[in-house]
Amino acid sequence: MEITVMLFFCNSNYLSLITKTVLGEVVKKYYREFNIKVREVNCDSEKEVCKLYDVSGVPVTLVFWNDELIGRHHGEITFKEFKAMLKDYCIPQELSP
C-alpha cells in the first residue's frame, strides 16, 4: 500500500506553512508503517500542476491511495483532521497522535 499526499501551497500563505508542519508530523509518525510520500506543489512556480488538479486557492491537500484520489481538503488541516481522512483506508482507529 502506498499513500501519496500532495500539498498545494504558497510560501507567503500562513495557513500553507501550518499545513506543511502538520503533514511533516503525520509523515514522521506513520511513514514506516504506511509508506507515506509527500509531494509539495508550490502554486507560485507550478501553476500548470495546480491547474491540472483544479486548485485555485491554498492550501489544498490531496490524498492518493495506490494512485487513487481518496481525499481532498481545502484550507488548514490539523493532525486530527488529516488522520480522519486516512483512517478509513489505512490507519487503524486505535492509533492516536
Side-chain angles (χ1 to χ4, degrees), residues 46-71:
E46 299 181 73
K47 292 180 186 343
E48 290 302 314
V49 177
C50 295
K51 185 184 265 187
L52 179 68
Y53 287 95
D54 196 27
V55 172
S56 59
V58 292
V60 171
T61 306
L62 302 182
V63 180
F64 296 86
W65 181 43
N66 294 331
D67 295 326
E68 179 182 339
L69 181 64
I70 60 170

PDB file of all heavy atoms in Angstrom, residues 46-71:
ATOM      1  N   GLU A  46       4.507  26.409  -9.935  1.00  0.00           N
ATOM      2  CA  GLU A  46       3.999  25.227 -10.644  1.00  0.00           C
ATOM      3  C   GLU A  46       2.519  25.397 -10.987  1.00  0.00           C
ATOM      4  O   GLU A  46       1.682  24.555 -10.666  1.00  0.00           O
ATOM      5  CB  GLU A  46       4.222  23.966  -9.807  1.00  0.00           C
ATOM      6  CG  GLU A  46       5.686  23.696  -9.517  1.00  0.00           C
ATOM      7  CD  GLU A  46       5.890  22.437  -8.705  1.00  0.00           C
ATOM      8  OE1 GLU A  46       5.717  21.341  -9.274  1.00  0.00           O
ATOM      9  OE2 GLU A  46       6.212  22.565  -7.507  1.00  0.00           O
ATOM     10  N   LYS A  47       2.218  26.490 -11.666  1.00  0.00           N
ATOM     11  CA  LYS A  47       0.830  26.829 -11.992  1.00  0.00           C
ATOM     12  C   LYS A  47       0.118  25.765 -12.832  1.00  0.00           C
ATOM     13  O   LYS A  47      -1.063  25.510 -12.653  1.00  0.00           O
ATOM     14  CB  LYS A  47       0.783  28.179 -12.702  1.00  0.00           C
ATOM     15  CG  LYS A  47       1.165  29.344 -11.806  1.00  0.00           C
ATOM     16  CD  LYS A  47       1.094  30.642 -12.567  1.00  0.00           C
ATOM     17  CE  LYS A  47       1.557  31.860 -11.903  1.00  0.00           C
ATOM     18  NZ  LYS A  47       1.762  32.071 -10.582  1.00  0.00           N
ATOM     19  N   GLU A  48       0.842  25.124 -13.737  1.00  0.00           N
ATOM     20  CA  GLU A  48       0.219  24.100 -14.592  1.00  0.00           C
ATOM     21  C   GLU A  48      -0.222  22.879 -13.786  1.00  0.00           C
ATOM     22  O   GLU A  48      -1.261  22.290 -14.060  1.00  0.00           O
ATOM     23  CB  GLU A  48       1.166  23.689 -15.725  1.00  0.00           C
ATOM     24  CG  GLU A  48       1.373  24.766 -16.765  1.00  0.00           C
ATOM     25  CD  GLU A  48       0.070  25.217 -17.406  1.00  0.00           C
ATOM     26  OE1 GLU A  48      -0.750  24.359 -17.791  1.00  0.00           O
ATOM     27  OE2 GLU A  48      -0.132  26.443 -17.524  1.00  0.00           O
ATOM     28  N   VAL A  49       0.569  22.491 -12.789  1.00  0.00           N
ATOM     29  CA  VAL A  49       0.193  21.360 -11.929  1.00  0.00           C
ATOM     30  C   VAL A  49      -1.047  21.728 -11.122  1.00  0.00           C
ATOM     31  O   VAL A  49      -1.968  20.925 -10.983  1.00  0.00           O
ATOM     32  CB  VAL A  49       1.357  20.944 -10.997  1.00  0.00           C
ATOM     33  CG1 VAL A  49       0.930  19.813 -10.068  1.00  0.00           C
ATOM     34  CG2 VAL A  49       2.577  20.541 -11.809  1.00  0.00           C
ATOM     35  N   CYS A  50      -1.096  22.955 -10.626  1.00  0.00           N
ATOM     36  CA  CYS A  50      -2.266  23.416  -9.871  1.00  0.00           C
ATOM     37  C   CYS A  50      -3.512  23.402 -10.755  1.00  0.00           C
ATOM     38  O   CYS A  50      -4.588  22.975 -10.321  1.00  0.00           O
ATOM     39  CB  CYS A  50      -2.025  24.816  -9.314  1.00  0.00           C
ATOM     40  SG  CYS A  50      -0.696  24.849  -8.096  1.00  0.00           S
ATOM     41  N   LYS A  51      -3.351  23.832 -11.983  1.00  0.00           N
ATOM     42  CA  LYS A  51      -4.472  23.833 -12.927  1.00  0.00           C
ATOM     43  C   LYS A  51      -4.925  22.401 -13.228  1.00  0.00           C
ATOM     44  O   LYS A  51      -6.121  22.123 -13.273  1.00  0.00           O
ATOM     45  CB  LYS A  51      -4.050  24.535 -14.232  1.00  0.00           C
ATOM     46  CG  LYS A  51      -5.168  24.693 -15.236  1.00  0.00           C
ATOM     47  CD  LYS A  51      -4.656  25.294 -16.541  1.00  0.00           C
ATOM     48  CE  LYS A  51      -4.862  26.776 -16.513  1.00  0.00           C
ATOM     49  NZ  LYS A  51      -4.543  27.401 -17.821  1.00  0.00           N
ATOM     50  N   LEU A  52      -3.980  21.497 -13.403  1.00  0.00           N
ATOM     51  CA  LEU A  52      -4.287  20.096 -13.690  1.00  0.00           C
ATOM     52  C   LEU A  52      -5.151  19.468 -12.590  1.00  0.00           C
ATOM     53  O   LEU A  52      -6.051  18.690 -12.869  1.00  0.00           O
ATOM     54  CB  LEU A  52      -2.981  19.305 -13.845  1.00  0.00           C
ATOM     55  CG  LEU A  52      -3.105  17.819 -14.115  1.00  0.00           C
ATOM     56  CD1 LEU A  52      -3.690  17.572 -15.500  1.00  0.00           C
ATOM     57  CD2 LEU A  52      -1.735  17.158 -13.995  1.00  0.00           C
ATOM     58  N   TYR A  53      -4.883  19.840 -11.329  1.00  0.00           N
ATOM     59  CA  TYR A  53      -5.629  19.289 -10.201  1.00  0.00           C
ATOM     60  C   TYR A  53      -6.746  20.216  -9.723  1.00  0.00           C
ATOM     61  O   TYR A  53      -7.318  20.006  -8.668  1.00  0.00           O
ATOM     62  CB  TYR A  53      -4.674  18.954  -9.049  1.00  0.00           C
ATOM     63  CG  TYR A  53      -3.846  17.736  -9.335  1.00  0.00           C
ATOM     64  CD1 TYR A  53      -2.563  17.857  -9.864  1.00  0.00           C
ATOM     65  CD2 TYR A  53      -4.348  16.459  -9.107  1.00  0.00           C
ATOM     66  CE1 TYR A  53      -1.794  16.731 -10.146  1.00  0.00           C
ATOM     67  CE2 TYR A  53      -3.595  15.337  -9.385  1.00  0.00           C
ATOM     68  CZ  TYR A  53      -2.322  15.482  -9.900  1.00  0.00           C
ATOM     69  OH  TYR A  53      -1.564  14.357 -10.177  1.00  0.00           O
ATOM     70  N   ASP A  54      -7.059  21.237 -10.517  1.00  0.00           N
ATOM     71  CA  ASP A  54      -8.156  22.158 -10.236  1.00  0.00           C
ATOM     72  C   ASP A  54      -8.001  22.839  -8.875  1.00  0.00           C
ATOM     73  O   ASP A  54      -8.944  22.900  -8.084  1.00  0.00           O
ATOM     74  CB  ASP A  54      -9.496  21.431 -10.333  1.00  0.00           C
ATOM     75  CG  ASP A  54     -10.666  22.390 -10.445  1.00  0.00           C
ATOM     76  OD1 ASP A  54     -10.471  23.507 -10.955  1.00  0.00           O
ATOM     77  OD2 ASP A  54     -11.777  22.024  -9.997  1.00  0.00           O
ATOM     78  N   VAL A  55      -6.798  23.332  -8.601  1.00  0.00           N
ATOM     79  CA  VAL A  55      -6.514  24.027  -7.350  1.00  0.00           C
ATOM     80  C   VAL A  55      -6.446  25.518  -7.648  1.00  0.00           C
ATOM     81  O   VAL A  55      -5.624  25.956  -8.448  1.00  0.00           O
ATOM     82  CB  VAL A  55      -5.183  23.539  -6.734  1.00  0.00           C
ATOM     83  CG1 VAL A  55      -4.789  24.394  -5.544  1.00  0.00           C
ATOM     84  CG2 VAL A  55      -5.295  22.072  -6.343  1.00  0.00           C
ATOM     85  N   SER A  56      -7.327  26.283  -6.997  1.00  0.00           N
ATOM     86  CA  SER A  56      -7.328  27.724  -7.228  1.00  0.00           C
ATOM     87  C   SER A  56      -7.008  28.518  -5.967  1.00  0.00           C
ATOM     88  O   SER A  56      -6.804  29.725  -6.030  1.00  0.00           O
ATOM     89  CB  SER A  56      -8.683  28.164  -7.790  1.00  0.00           C
ATOM     90  OG  SER A  56      -9.715  27.817  -6.894  1.00  0.00           O
ATOM     91  N   GLY A  57      -6.983  27.893  -4.828  1.00  0.00           N
ATOM     92  CA  GLY A  57      -6.631  28.537  -3.570  1.00  0.00           C
ATOM     93  C   GLY A  57      -5.742  27.606  -2.770  1.00  0.00           C
ATOM     94  O   GLY A  57      -5.675  26.411  -3.062  1.00  0.00           O
ATOM     95  N   VAL A  58      -5.067  28.137  -1.774  1.00  0.00           N
ATOM     96  CA  VAL A  58      -4.163  27.309  -0.968  1.00  0.00           C
ATOM     97  C   VAL A  58      -4.430  27.536   0.512  1.00  0.00           C
ATOM     98  O   VAL A  58      -4.948  28.590   0.871  1.00  0.00           O
ATOM     99  CB  VAL A  58      -2.688  27.608  -1.292  1.00  0.00           C
ATOM    100  CG1 VAL A  58      -2.333  27.164  -2.682  1.00  0.00           C
ATOM    101  CG2 VAL A  58      -2.340  29.068  -1.068  1.00  0.00           C
ATOM    102  N   PRO A  59      -4.065  26.585   1.335  1.00  0.00           N
ATOM    103  CA  PRO A  59      -3.535  25.273   0.980  1.00  0.00           C
ATOM    104  C   PRO A  59      -4.639  24.292   0.594  1.00  0.00           C
ATOM    105  O   PRO A  59      -5.779  24.418   1.023  1.00  0.00           O
ATOM    106  CB  PRO A  59      -2.853  24.809   2.269  1.00  0.00           C
ATOM    107  CG  PRO A  59      -3.637  25.478   3.358  1.00  0.00           C
ATOM    108  CD  PRO A  59      -4.073  26.804   2.789  1.00  0.00           C
ATOM    109  N   VAL A  60      -4.272  23.345  -0.245  1.00  0.00           N
ATOM    110  CA  VAL A  60      -5.140  22.222  -0.611  1.00  0.00           C
ATOM    111  C   VAL A  60      -4.316  20.948  -0.435  1.00  0.00           C
ATOM    112  O   VAL A  60      -3.168  20.889  -0.859  1.00  0.00           O
ATOM    113  CB  VAL A  60      -5.650  22.327  -2.069  1.00  0.00           C
ATOM    114  CG1 VAL A  60      -6.350  21.055  -2.503  1.00  0.00           C
ATOM    115  CG2 VAL A  60      -6.573  23.523  -2.220  1.00  0.00           C
ATOM    116  N   THR A  61      -4.916  19.964   0.192  1.00  0.00           N
ATOM    117  CA  THR A  61      -4.258  18.681   0.415  1.00  0.00           C
ATOM    118  C   THR A  61      -5.032  17.600  -0.325  1.00  0.00           C
ATOM    119  O   THR A  61      -6.238  17.459  -0.131  1.00  0.00           O
ATOM    120  CB  THR A  61      -4.217  18.344   1.924  1.00  0.00           C
ATOM    121  OG1 THR A  61      -3.613  19.427   2.622  1.00  0.00           O
ATOM    122  CG2 THR A  61      -3.440  17.071   2.172  1.00  0.00           C
ATOM    123  N   LEU A  62      -4.338  16.868  -1.195  1.00  0.00           N
ATOM    124  CA  LEU A  62      -4.928  15.723  -1.885  1.00  0.00           C
ATOM    125  C   LEU A  62      -4.253  14.463  -1.355  1.00  0.00           C
ATOM    126  O   LEU A  62      -3.041  14.438  -1.168  1.00  0.00           O
ATOM    127  CB  LEU A  62      -4.710  15.802  -3.393  1.00  0.00           C
ATOM    128  CG  LEU A  62      -5.239  17.023  -4.126  1.00  0.00           C
ATOM    129  CD1 LEU A  62      -4.957  16.893  -5.624  1.00  0.00           C
ATOM    130  CD2 LEU A  62      -6.723  17.209  -3.885  1.00  0.00           C
ATOM    131  N   VAL A  63      -5.051  13.425  -1.126  1.00  0.00           N
ATOM    132  CA  VAL A  63      -4.518  12.162  -0.629  1.00  0.00           C
ATOM    133  C   VAL A  63      -4.848  11.070  -1.643  1.00  0.00           C
ATOM    134  O   VAL A  63      -6.010  10.912  -2.035  1.00  0.00           O
ATOM    135  CB  VAL A  63      -5.110  11.791   0.747  1.00  0.00           C
ATOM    136  CG1 VAL A  63      -4.541  10.477   1.244  1.00  0.00           C
ATOM    137  CG2 VAL A  63      -4.846  12.902   1.751  1.00  0.00           C
ATOM    138  N   PHE A  64      -3.803  10.339  -2.057  1.00  0.00           N
ATOM    139  CA  PHE A  64      -3.959   9.234  -3.005  1.00  0.00           C
ATOM    140  C   PHE A  64      -3.563   7.942  -2.311  1.00  0.00           C
ATOM    141  O   PHE A  64      -2.572   7.896  -1.591  1.00  0.00           O
ATOM    142  CB  PHE A  64      -3.045   9.436  -4.217  1.00  0.00           C
ATOM    143  CG  PHE A  64      -3.375  10.655  -5.022  1.00  0.00           C
ATOM    144  CD1 PHE A  64      -2.854  11.893  -4.680  1.00  0.00           C
ATOM    145  CD2 PHE A  64      -4.200  10.559  -6.129  1.00  0.00           C
ATOM    146  CE1 PHE A  64      -3.153  13.016  -5.421  1.00  0.00           C
ATOM    147  CE2 PHE A  64      -4.498  11.687  -6.883  1.00  0.00           C
ATOM    148  CZ  PHE A  64      -3.976  12.916  -6.523  1.00  0.00           C
ATOM    149  N   TRP A  65      -4.325   6.920  -2.530  1.00  0.00           N
ATOM    150  CA  TRP A  65      -4.014   5.588  -2.010  1.00  0.00           C
ATOM    151  C   TRP A  65      -3.865   4.684  -3.222  1.00  0.00           C
ATOM    152  O   TRP A  65      -4.804   4.517  -4.005  1.00  0.00           O
ATOM    153  CB  TRP A  65      -5.120   5.101  -1.100  1.00  0.00           C
ATOM    154  CG  TRP A  65      -4.894   3.762  -0.488  1.00  0.00           C
ATOM    155  CD1 TRP A  65      -3.746   3.275   0.054  1.00  0.00           C
ATOM    156  CD2 TRP A  65      -5.857   2.720  -0.355  1.00  0.00           C
ATOM    157  NE1 TRP A  65      -3.941   2.020   0.529  1.00  0.00           N
ATOM    158  CE2 TRP A  65      -5.241   1.646   0.293  1.00  0.00           C
ATOM    159  CE3 TRP A  65      -7.194   2.599  -0.706  1.00  0.00           C
ATOM    160  CZ2 TRP A  65      -5.890   0.459   0.576  1.00  0.00           C
ATOM    161  CZ3 TRP A  65      -7.854   1.424  -0.412  1.00  0.00           C
ATOM    162  CH2 TRP A  65      -7.196   0.374   0.220  1.00  0.00           C
ATOM    163  N   ASN A  66      -2.664   4.143  -3.427  1.00  0.00           N
ATOM    164  CA  ASN A  66      -2.372   3.345  -4.621  1.00  0.00           C
ATOM    165  C   ASN A  66      -2.807   4.078  -5.883  1.00  0.00           C
ATOM    166  O   ASN A  66      -3.491   3.524  -6.742  1.00  0.00           O
ATOM    167  CB  ASN A  66      -3.027   1.970  -4.526  1.00  0.00           C
ATOM    168  CG  ASN A  66      -2.419   1.138  -3.415  1.00  0.00           C
ATOM    169  OD1 ASN A  66      -1.253   1.303  -3.078  1.00  0.00           O
ATOM    170  ND2 ASN A  66      -3.210   0.264  -2.844  1.00  0.00           N
ATOM    171  N   ASP A  67      -2.462   5.354  -5.976  1.00  0.00           N
ATOM    172  CA  ASP A  67      -2.723   6.226  -7.133  1.00  0.00           C
ATOM    173  C   ASP A  67      -4.196   6.594  -7.337  1.00  0.00           C
ATOM    174  O   ASP A  67      -4.542   7.176  -8.360  1.00  0.00           O
ATOM    175  CB  ASP A  67      -2.162   5.622  -8.422  1.00  0.00           C
ATOM    176  CG  ASP A  67      -0.650   5.516  -8.391  1.00  0.00           C
ATOM    177  OD1 ASP A  67      -0.006   6.408  -7.792  1.00  0.00           O
ATOM    178  OD2 ASP A  67      -0.109   4.549  -8.948  1.00  0.00           O
ATOM    179  N   GLU A  68      -5.063   6.282  -6.395  1.00  0.00           N
ATOM    180  CA  GLU A  68      -6.476   6.661  -6.482  1.00  0.00           C
ATOM    181  C   GLU A  68      -6.750   7.785  -5.495  1.00  0.00           C
ATOM    182  O   GLU A  68      -6.410   7.682  -4.312  1.00  0.00           O
ATOM    183  CB  GLU A  68      -7.369   5.465  -6.151  1.00  0.00           C
ATOM    184  CG  GLU A  68      -8.842   5.788  -6.207  1.00  0.00           C
ATOM    185  CD  GLU A  68      -9.701   4.591  -5.825  1.00  0.00           C
ATOM    186  OE1 GLU A  68      -9.229   3.451  -5.889  1.00  0.00           O
ATOM    187  OE2 GLU A  68     -10.863   4.823  -5.458  1.00  0.00           O
ATOM    188  N   LEU A  69      -7.356   8.874  -5.971  1.00  0.00           N
ATOM    189  CA  LEU A  69      -7.675  10.002  -5.096  1.00  0.00           C
ATOM    190  C   LEU A  69      -8.721   9.573  -4.077  1.00  0.00           C
ATOM    191  O   LEU A  69      -9.813   9.120  -4.446  1.00  0.00           O
ATOM    192  CB  LEU A  69      -8.195  11.184  -5.916  1.00  0.00           C
ATOM    193  CG  LEU A  69      -8.547  12.448  -5.132  1.00  0.00           C
ATOM    194  CD1 LEU A  69      -7.314  13.032  -4.471  1.00  0.00           C
ATOM    195  CD2 LEU A  69      -9.207  13.463  -6.041  1.00  0.00           C
ATOM    196  N   ILE A  70      -8.376   9.683  -2.784  1.00  0.00           N
ATOM    197  CA  ILE A  70      -9.315   9.275  -1.733  1.00  0.00           C
ATOM    198  C   ILE A  70      -9.731  10.437  -0.842  1.00  0.00           C
ATOM    199  O   ILE A  70     -10.666  10.302  -0.058  1.00  0.00           O
ATOM    200  CB  ILE A  70      -8.741   8.146  -0.839  1.00  0.00           C
ATOM    201  CG1 ILE A  70      -7.460   8.594  -0.134  1.00  0.00           C
ATOM    202  CG2 ILE A  70      -8.537   6.879  -1.650  1.00  0.00           C
ATOM    203  CD1 ILE A  70      -6.968   7.640   0.937  1.00  0.00           C
ATOM    204  N   GLY A  71      -9.048  11.576  -0.948  1.00  0.00           N
ATOM    205  CA  GLY A  71      -9.417  12.702  -0.105  1.00  0.00           C
ATOM    206  C   GLY A  71      -8.909  14.019  -0.637  1.00  0.00           C
ATOM    207  O   GLY A  71      -7.877  14.089  -1.301  1.00  0.00           O
TER     208      GLY A  71
END
